[in-house]
Amino acid sequence: MSPLTGVPTKTPLWRDIRVLKWLFQLAVLAIFVGIIFWLYNNYQVNIQRSKIPTGLDFLDNPANFTMPGNDFNQSSPVWSAFVQGFYNTLRVSVVGILLAILIGTLVGMARLSKNFLVRTVAGAYVEVIRNLPLLVLLTFMNLAVVLQTFPRIEDAWKPLDLFVVSNRGIAIPWFEGSGITLLSVLLAALAAAVIIAWVRGKYSDRTGKPARGLLYGTTIFVLVIVGAWLALGYSWTLPLVQDRGTEGGLRLDPSFFALLVTLVVYTSSHIAEIVRGSILAVPRGQGEAADALALSGPKKMRLVILPQAFRVALPAVGNQSLNLIKNSSLGAAISYFELTQIAQITVGNGSPAVPAFTLTLLVYLSISLTTSLIINIFNRRLALVER
């Protein structure tokens, strides 16, 4: 059969949908690059006109301020202040994420409780906390709870003679020895526990007997910690009230405590709803199968429901963890020496604002990207493999 005469055999470029899509995307990209270039050019012109330094030479200048609770002094360089701010941001973020996930999971489970009182209290917690502005909640926690509710140091609360609670902060028992060595021991103990749990899982697959990976893993973890503690000669130091302060133990600054509690309470209220929705997303048949096996309520939740619910919840919980890290910058509002507060003080003492805050942004970005990478690895490990 011969081709029809007068019928085009090839679509013209100006009517080819693939070419038009590419041209549209290239046009959008060109506009975006043009705007960025225009803004950057304006920034360079204005910087040269006002003769503002743009380098990082200010990092070697004296900081000219002090931080309570450590050896940092006015003659220490600015880069040392940023390092201390980085540690403080990490400290409140790591502890906050762990506590927020733990409390959020418990509250999320309580939201589905058959007990009316537990379910109502959990619901009120979520609805009240998550509808409050975070900055207002932080300010209230610092001014009304920590500074006004806690007693003066002369009348400090001393629960079990292990803690000292006052408006100057909370002192807790702490260890004496190398922190880096103890952290290495913790990581080694965690690795040993994971290996033991994996071996027990393989044993269970091969023999059909209960794995009890959590029991064996926890036992190995505790044994490694206790053995290393005794072998390396670590000891405890308890906090004591001395004059108008405390000696021994670890003192948590009032601003750190206010920021930590606020971030944990606020983030856990969001995680609770994520956990609640994830538990409801688990097919009803899974719970019925657990009931058929005569599993108790806690065992059904721990062995059947929660492992599947966390597969659903992990990406959203990861987002809340990233939000907690970024929200830690609000600590500057109550004078907690995290990264943003350090940047503000150094700029106030004469350091160039743009390089200082650019450095701060890059540090926050590196922390968030590292956290996101860890969450993605966990998410990939927990994802169901479809065949």
Side-chain angles (χ1 to χ4, degrees):
M1 182 179 296
S2 61
L4 296 176
T5 57
V7 177
T9 57
K10 187 176 181 181
T11 304
L13 291 179
W14 61 87
R15 297 183 60 185
D16 191 327
I17 191 65
R18 291 175 299 177
V19 175
L20 293 178
K21 283 183 177 179
W22 272 105
L23 288 176
F24 177 75
Q25 294 178 55
L26 290 175
V28 172
L29 179 62
I31 293 172
F32 177 74
V33 172
I35 292 175
I36 295 297
F37 178 77
W38 175 69
L39 292 174
Y40 181 74
N41 186 57
N42 280 355
Y43 164 76
Q44 289 292 341
V45 171
N46 291 331
I47 286 293
Q48 292 176 2
R49 186 179 300 164
S50 56
K51 298 180 180 179
I52 296 177
T54 58
L56 298 177
D57 298 336
F58 71 94
L59 293 176
D60 293 326
N61 297 336
N64 294 325
F65 65 92
T66 59
M67 293 187 204
N70 57 48
D71 299 332
F72 187 86
N73 55 52
Q74 295 188 355
S75 60
S76 300
V78 172
W79 64 263
S80 179
F82 273 98
V83 171
Q84 188 62 44
F86 173 73
Y87 286 147
N88 288 342
T89 298
L90 272 189
R91 186 168 59 168
V92 74
S93 298
V94 172
V95 178
I97 289 172
L98 295 177
L99 291 177
I101 292 177
L102 175 62
I103 296 176
T105 302
L106 295 176
V107 175
M109 293 166 58
R111 289 271 282 155
L112 300 172
S113 173
K114 296 178 181 177
N115 185 297
F116 173 78
L117 182 60
V118 173
R119 186 173 65 249
T120 303
V121 171
Y125 173 85
V126 171
E127 294 301 331
V128 171
I129 298 298
R130 72 173 181 173
N131 288 302
L132 294 175
L134 179 56
L135 181 57
V136 177
L137 182 62
L138 174 61
T139 306
F140 177 82
M141 182 66 70
N142 185 51
L143 296 179
V145 177
V146 175
L147 297 182
Q148 299 301 328
T149 304
F150 287 179
R152 296 162 59 90
I153 187 65
E154 296 86 353
D155 305 318
W157 299 333
K158 301 172 185 176
L160 304 175
D161 285 337
L162 296 176
F163 306 91
V164 175
V165 181
S166 70
N167 58 8
R168 290 180 177 270
I170 298 177
I172 62 175
W174 202 242
F175 66 92
E176 287 184 326
S178 171
I180 296 178
T181 304
L182 186 59
L183 178 62
S184 303
V185 170
L186 286 173
L187 293 176
L190 182 62
V194 171
I195 292 174
I196 290 298
W198 179 77
V199 171
R200 290 296 304 178
K202 292 294 181 184
Y203 172 78
S204 176
D205 294 340
R206 191 172 62 255
T207 63
K209 296 182 178 179
R212 304 187 191 283
L214 181 61
L215 175 63
Y216 282 90
T218 304
T219 304
I220 291 298
F221 181 82
V222 172
L223 288 177
V224 171
I225 296 295
V226 173
W229 185 279
L230 297 176
L232 297 176
Y234 279 91
S235 61
W236 290 103
T237 169
L238 299 177
L240 298 172
V241 177
Q242 187 72 26
D243 297 331
R244 296 183 61 81
T246 59
E247 282 191 1
L250 176 67
R251 190 182 76 88
L252 304 178
D253 192 75
S255 58
F256 170 82
F257 181 77
L259 179 62
L260 176 66
V261 172
T262 304
L263 291 177
V264 168
V265 168
Y266 184 80
T267 308
S268 64
S269 68
H270 290 76
I271 292 179
E273 284 302 275
I274 296 171
V275 172
R276 184 182 70 88
S278 302
I279 291 176
L280 293 176
V282 176
R284 185 184 297 271
Q286 297 292 319
E288 294 173 350
D291 292 335
L293 293 174
L295 294 180
S296 61
K299 274 192 173 180
K300 182 174 74 173
M301 185 61 71
R302 180 170 60 87
L303 299 177
V304 179
I305 304 298
L306 280 184
Q308 299 182 68
F310 271 114
R311 283 176 173 163
V312 181
L314 188 56
V317 171
N319 287 336
Q320 290 301 322
S321 301
L322 294 175
N323 285 338
L324 188 147
I325 294 172
K326 290 177 285 188
N327 288 337
S328 68
S329 62
L330 292 176
I334 58 171
S335 301
Y336 176 63
F337 286 89
E338 45 71 55
L339 281 168
T340 306
Q341 173 76 348
I342 297 296
Q344 289 179 348
I345 294 177
T346 55
V347 170
N349 287 345
S351 297
V354 175
F357 280 102
T358 301
L359 179 64
T360 305
L361 284 175
L362 292 177
V363 175
Y364 274 116
L365 182 63
S366 63
I367 296 174
S368 296
L369 289 178
T370 304
T371 306
S372 180
L373 176 64
I374 296 173
I375 293 170
N376 287 335
I377 292 174
F378 273 104
N379 191 31
R380 194 171 304 167
R381 294 287 299 174
L382 292 177
L384 290 175
V385 179
E386 298 183 357
R387 299 176 179 174

